[in-house]
Amino acid sequence: MRMYDLIIKKRNGEELSTEEINYFIEKYTSGDVEDYQASALLMAIFFKKMNMRETVDLTKAMMHSGDVIDLTAIEGIKVDKHSTGGVGDTTTLVLAPLIASCGVPVAKMSGRGLGHTGGTLDKLESIKDFRIGLSIDEFTNNVNNNKIAVVGQTKNIAPADKKLYALRDVTGTVDNISLIASSIMSKKLASGADAIVLDVKVGSGAFIHDIEGAKELSKTMVEIGSLMGRNTIALITDMDQPLGYAIGNSLEVIEAIDTLNNKGPKDLTELCLNLGGKMLLLAGRVKTFEEGEKLLIEKIESGEAFEKFKEFVSIQGGDVSVIENIDLLPKSKNIYEVKSDVDGYIEKMIADEIGICAMMLGAGRETKESDIDLSAGILIRKKVGDEVKKGDIIAVFHTNKDEEVIKTVENRFFKNITISKNKVSEKKLIKAVVTMDGIDEF
Ligand code: URA
Ligand code: CA
């Protein structure tokens, strides 16, 4: 088999066989296929597309390019949640203890991520002494005994995807449905979950900007999961403005604590109840989504969900006093209020740009090597649809950077929000639910 022939075949719009896809992934992972040939094939796939069979084969090949985690030592149905990524997404921090408090095992492998803020691991590390490096035995035991553990991803999950994703990133071949779906699903499937709930973000803060694209991506991922024997559901949710109020690491830990105590932002709470209700359903813990949602609300109102969070932090070595007294979390030196200079209604908040503002204040990594400031970020005070008066605080910056940076970020922030004279309606958060039975749009 020769890479050259595969490239020509796809360039001419033909279907690649299972053997050809396996060959490509194997040889590219081992370094026997060079980046220039892989890039050419990716570009051919981008233009000529892949059918479902090819997409599933690609997913399987990437899934098996490294370790496939065996979670069978953990009792019960393990449901994993995956978000395609957005700005200020605090859901994992809330959902992990919330689901565990319902008696459903949460065996979560998380990443750090590049971007506006750190990943779930960075957020958890803003809790003093929190340990993310559990051995596989500790991980298994913690989930069996306490229903919850969160660890850092082992290095060898879908290495083919890691390499290909980096290549796609610099060759203009990221936004192809088959390539995105296989990339995400190969990692999820290799992480050992029995069932998967996907949160597919759509809007200015997501990499899919239109609802049609989100539906197609969701359908493809749900089909891949189901064909691989994993019950899979996708929710399509709004990411046109940041989720909740907090964007930043310790700021989001506080937001998660508030949400677990029933004092969280409306949108974040709604998203957690929706995703969580589906997770309980797939775990077989409840018979209907409505029953699941009701149980989650009970667990929040009774305080059990918050207790589970404290237990989880304590078992992984974290300092629980930080959870009880959030003043002990990392704090920025400079707190700066961004005020409106007009009257009106918030019409738009370009999510990814607001995310970049948070990153510039120190909350995220610009490159893999950059340091992250766990205390830094943005607390938004107004969301789309809210009325503002001249002088009202729209957002509060938390940062250790100097005044010059703060001013630059403030300018960028103002460029990316629109305040209208006319009343603006609130945005709908949950846009659709996608299952093997079809799409329900709201
Ligand atoms: N996230 C991924 O993991 N892969 C993609 O291709 C796009 C987003
Ligand atoms: Ca948030």
Side-chain angles (χ1 to χ4, degrees), residues 97-115:
L98 181 54
I99 296 297
S101 75
C102 299
V104 169
V106 175
K108 184 91 189 146
M109 308 216 172
S110 244
R112 288 193 187 280
L114 264 178

Side-chain angles (χ1 to χ4, degrees), residues 71 74-82 92 95-97 99-100 103-109 139 143 147-150 188 191-199 230-235 274-286:
L71 294 181
I74 295 171
E75 298 139 24
I77 300 175
K78 279 78 65 185
V79 186
D80 201 0
K81 185 232 39 157
H82 178 80
T92 299
L95 274 174
I99 296 297
V104 169
V106 175
K108 184 91 189 146
M109 308 216 172
F139 182 66
V143 184
K147 298 294 169 207
I148 183 168
V150 178
K188 284 290 115 181
S191 306
D194 301 314
I196 301 161
V197 175
L198 298 162
D199 179 10
R230 264 67 155 207
N231 232 333
T232 306
I233 294 180
L235 266 64
N274 273 275
L275 292 168
K278 299 290 187 204
M279 290 171 80
L280 295 183
L281 190 62
L282 292 191
R285 175 67 178 79
V286 294

